[in-house]
Amino acid sequence: MSTEETKTSALDRLRGWGSSSLPGMGLATLITALHWRPFQALPMLLTPLLMFSSYLSVAGFKIDSAGMTAAWSGIYFLLAARRRPAALKNKFSARGAVRATAMGLSAANVLAGTYTYVTGDRKAEEQERKEMDKWGMYNDSE
């Protein structure tokens, strides 16, 4: 395997991650697990927005979904990073592991979503939506 194939494969994986509906929903699940009890309003405001970005991806708007997921994941990462450092025993608890996973997932979402949004082909995406025609929006019978 040559280095060009590896680079292409890595970029394809990055684009695949950015255009998927799972990363936004996964981050919303982790945010809910961390901030539901005790309830913290600011992080919990991000979960419906991440869920909506997952819906956009399923509906066929993958490029816009990637941009939205990248933006809200970046905001969550900045919000979570400004928290005061925890004691050493709290870093290695279940809650600490979930927090580290949420921050890692949000960083990956920022990278993949930004790449997908910047390099996305909107005309090809629109053509793909027309071919899928999930809700009969593009019927020519009118």
Side-chain angles (χ1 to χ4, degrees), residues 124-134 138-139:
E125 181 187 54
E126 184 178 3
Q127 184 63 31
E128 182 181 335
R129 267 196 318 272
K130 285 182 179 179
E131 288 173 6
M132 283 191 325
D133 197 18
K134 285 186 176 182
Y138 301 104
N139 283 342

Side-chain angles (χ1 to χ4, degrees), residues 9-113:
S9 175
L11 293 178
D12 286 342
R13 285 185 180 194
L14 197 63
R15 182 185 306 277
W17 183 265
S19 62
S20 175
S21 63
L22 292 177
M25 189 60 79
L27 183 58
T29 303
L30 291 173
I31 290 172
T32 303
L34 282 170
H35 302 289
W36 187 256
R37 290 189 67 169
F39 187 78
Q40 297 170 347
L42 189 56
M44 288 302 293
L45 288 174
L46 301 178
T47 57
L49 299 167
L50 288 164
M51 288 179 194
F52 180 68
S53 71
S54 291
Y55 168 75
L56 282 178
S57 180
V58 171
F61 296 92
K62 295 181 185 300
I63 296 170
D64 296 324
S65 168
M68 189 173 177
T69 302
W72 292 118
S73 295
I75 289 173
Y76 178 74
F77 185 83
L78 292 174
L79 185 67
R82 62 182 268 264
R83 182 177 159 227
R84 64 177 175 81
L88 187 61
K89 69 176 184 170
N90 293 338
K91 286 183 183 180
F92 298 107
S93 65
R95 188 173 183 91
V98 173
R99 181 175 182 269
T101 304
M103 289 185 71
L105 182 59
S106 64
N109 287 350
V110 169
L111 291 175

